[in-house]
Amino acid sequence: MGNQECIFCKISNNEIAAERIYENDNFFSISDANPKVEGHSLVISKRHFETILDMPSSLGTELLDCIKKTAAMLVEKHNSEGFNVVSNNFEAAGQVVKHVHFHILPRKKGDGVRVVG
Ligand code: AMP
Ligand code: ZN
């Protein structure tokens, strides 16, 4: 199943253990191994798609469900006041892991984090 060399496929099929924050049939979320901010997490597709362009649009509802549930749990847990959702697609945009994923970055007023620009 999936891409044998892909780290997120290995997490998806439990070859590598990672605690899941939330999951539904097609997506799950975990903490980022190198957090840029407190609570930095990733929403990852269970099946291997390289970028958003490879992902069927019919998965959009489940994707949004996983993003919303994960973000709400992180905001609650870290007493955040907001959050960013970021997806890097292709190397030129900074994508390192070639399996579609969405960064969720909990934010607080005046935290000085710059996500875009
Ligand atoms: P990018 O492909 O640039 O959007 O970022 C990939 C993200 O995956 C980085 O923030 C890494 O810290 C994170 N990452 C890589 N390997 C793991 C892992 N095994 N568990 C959790 N996060 C990971
Ligand atoms: Zn994969």
Side-chain angles (χ1 to χ4, degrees):
M1 290 282 283
N3 178 332
Q4 293 188 342
E5 298 306 313
C6 174
I7 185 93
F8 287 173
C9 281
K10 288 183 178 168
I11 294 173
S12 176
N13 66 26
N14 293 313
E15 261 179 78
I16 293 175
E19 192 180 339
R20 295 181 185 204
I21 298 164
Y22 176 77
E23 71 178 306
N24 57 32
D25 284 350
N26 281 289
F27 296 90
F28 64 96
S29 52
I30 60 170
S31 298
D32 195 291
N34 304 288
K36 303 276 182 291
V37 300
E38 184 189 321
H40 180 182
S41 300
L42 301 170
V43 167
I44 301 172
S45 60
K46 290 189 177 178
R47 283 152 64 199
H48 185 87
F49 304 112
E50 195 164 323
T51 73
I52 287 178
L53 299 185
D54 303 306
M55 208 183 80
S57 299
S58 58
L59 294 182
T61 304
E62 275 187 67
L63 169 62
L64 193 56
D65 170 72
C66 195
I67 288 174
K68 287 170 68 176
K69 297 269 173 41
T70 302
M73 290 167 80
L74 292 171
V75 163
E76 167 91 15
K77 182 174 177 189
H78 298 282
N79 286 314
S80 311
E81 298 166 293
F83 60 91
N84 296 105
V85 179
V86 176
S87 179
N88 302 324
N89 290 264
F90 301 101
E91 234 172 272
Q95 184 177 13
V96 174
V97 178
K98 303 209 168 358
H99 176 133
V100 74
H101 58 278
F102 299 80
H103 297 257
I104 301 188
L105 301 140
R107 299 293 305 279
K108 285 179 184 159
K109 271 184 200 148
D111 62 13
V113 176
R114 292 194 67 171
V115 176
V116 177

